[in-house]
């Protein structure tokens, strides 16, 4: 029993944030509920910090008048024509939505990660790595759960950022591209952040900021073309025609403000989430 408890203390850490530095409680279902709460804070922080950069990126990719401008010129144009509030246009859907789908991805990951301890095969290492199979499996399922909830919210966000009205019957427009972007991105994020935790890089607030921000950034760079294409689809444009005409490098348009958004928002949100988890432990809610 002592050995099992020690194992939980060292390897428990659910993915990305939720229990990364806190010892897991005895109940996997309770950790699921706690992860929903702390993941909500992660999601809200994510939007507050990253939305202005995301607005610049989306306009550069999809809105007439911005598609030939650089990031700085686009930011100046938004500021002069819409004021500072323009950077937060379309933020309400991702504000509450981010709290929902990010808490869901963390909670699903955490629940599956914990339950996998009952299946010895999932605790084996992926060949050539120190990562357990359960990290990869729970990450993939958590990413898929996020996609189901995220797609309508991202659709409404893009419509708001590009001054268009959204329609209920179209909320899953571009859902396939949404999964092609979110699935690999978040699975890779979970795996990379797990490595950061195992090697002690996420043991301090600064380490959590750079580990989470850096892992998210790498994941986004890998799937960036799908981010561009799903924005085209959600904005009501022909994404296939866009892919043909813009070329591969053109699909990386907007990567500078997008990268700033991804890195800063995931780094800051991780610190907030970790503090929330510390408070949860201090209040005895994991007992």
């Amino acid at each position: 029993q002592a050995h099992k408890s020690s194992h939980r203390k060292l390897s428990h850490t659910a993915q990305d944030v939720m229990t990364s530095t806190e010892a897991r409680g005895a109940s996997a279902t309770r950790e699921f509920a706690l992860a929903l709460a702390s993941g909500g804070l992660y999601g809200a922080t994510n939007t507050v910090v990253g939305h202005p950069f995301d607005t610049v990126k989306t306009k550069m990719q999809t809105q007439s008048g911005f598609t030939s401008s650089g990031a700085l010129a686009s930011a100046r144009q938004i500021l002069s024509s819409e004021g500072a509030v323009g950077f937060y246009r379309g933020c309400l859907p991702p504000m509450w939505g981010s709290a929902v789908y990010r808490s869901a991805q963390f909670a699903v990951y955490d629940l599956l990660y914990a339950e996998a301890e009952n299946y010895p095969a999932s605790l084996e290492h992926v060949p050539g790595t120190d990562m357990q199979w359960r990290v990869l499996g729970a990450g993939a399922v958590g990413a898929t759960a996020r996609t189901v909830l995220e797609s309508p919210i991202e659709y409404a966000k893009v419509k708001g950022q590009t001054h268009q009205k959204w329609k209920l019957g179209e909320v899953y427009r571009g859902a396939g591209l949404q999964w092609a972007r979110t699935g690999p991105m978040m699975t890779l994020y979970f795996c990379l952040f797990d490595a950061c935790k195992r090697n002690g890089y996420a043991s301090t607030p600064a380490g959590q900021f750079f580990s989470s921000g850096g892992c998210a950034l790498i994941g986004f760079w890998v799937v960036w073309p799908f981010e561009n294409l799903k924005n085209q689809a959600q904005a009501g444009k022909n994404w296939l025609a866009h892919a043909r005409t813009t070329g591969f490098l053109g699909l990386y348009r907007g990567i500078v403000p997008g990268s700033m958004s991804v890195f800063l928002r995931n780094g800051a949100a991780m610190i907030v989430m970790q503090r929330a988890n510390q408070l949860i432990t201090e209040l005895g809610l994991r007992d």
Side-chain angles (χ1 to χ4, degrees), residues 87-187:
F87 291 103
Y88 278 93
R89 185 173 295 280
C91 74
L92 290 182
M95 177 66 76
W96 65 264
S98 179
V100 171
Y101 66 72
R102 284 190 167 88
S103 64
Q105 77 182 13
F106 294 152
V108 168
Y109 177 98
D110 207 35
L111 178 65
L112 294 178
Y113 185 99
E115 289 297 329
E117 291 186 352
N118 299 317
Y119 302 91
S122 72
L123 305 181
E124 298 294 328
H125 291 162
V126 176
T129 75
D130 290 329
M131 181 181 70
Q132 296 175 340
W133 280 107
R134 63 174 171 173
V135 174
L136 185 60
V141 177
T144 301
R146 165 176 165 166
T147 302
V148 173
L149 296 171
E150 179 183 29
S151 193
I153 296 163
E154 280 288 296
Y155 164 81
K157 181 200 74 173
V158 169
K159 287 293 190 182
Q161 289 173 325
T162 55
H163 301 275
Q164 300 181 65
K165 292 184 178 180
W166 62 274
K167 300 177 181 179
L168 185 61
E170 296 181 348
V171 294
Y172 275 97
R173 180 191 292 272
L177 293 167
Q178 186 83 44
W179 187 90
R181 169 263 222 182
T182 301
M185 175 184 70
M186 288 310 304
T187 302

Side-chain angles (χ1 to χ4, degrees), residues 6 9 128 226 228 254 256-258 260:
S6 175
K9 182 95 174 176
F226 292 108
N228 191 328
V256 173
M260 293 172 68

Side-chain angles (χ1 to χ4, degrees), residues 16-17 36-54 88 91-103 106 208-209 212-213 260-277:
D16 158 281
V17 163
L36 285 175
S38 58
L41 292 175
Y42 183 101
T45 304
N46 203 289
T47 300
V48 170
V49 174
H51 196 79
F53 300 100
D54 189 78
Y88 278 93
C91 74
L92 290 182
M95 177 66 76
W96 65 264
S98 179
V100 171
Y101 66 72
R102 284 190 167 88
S103 64
F106 294 152
Q208 293 156 12
F209 179 90
S212 181
M260 293 172 68
S261 173
V262 168
F263 179 76
L264 293 174
R265 74 192 188 202
N266 283 284
M270 174 63 75
I271 292 177
V272 171
M273 192 172 187
Q274 287 294 10
R275 180 54 184 155
N277 274 290

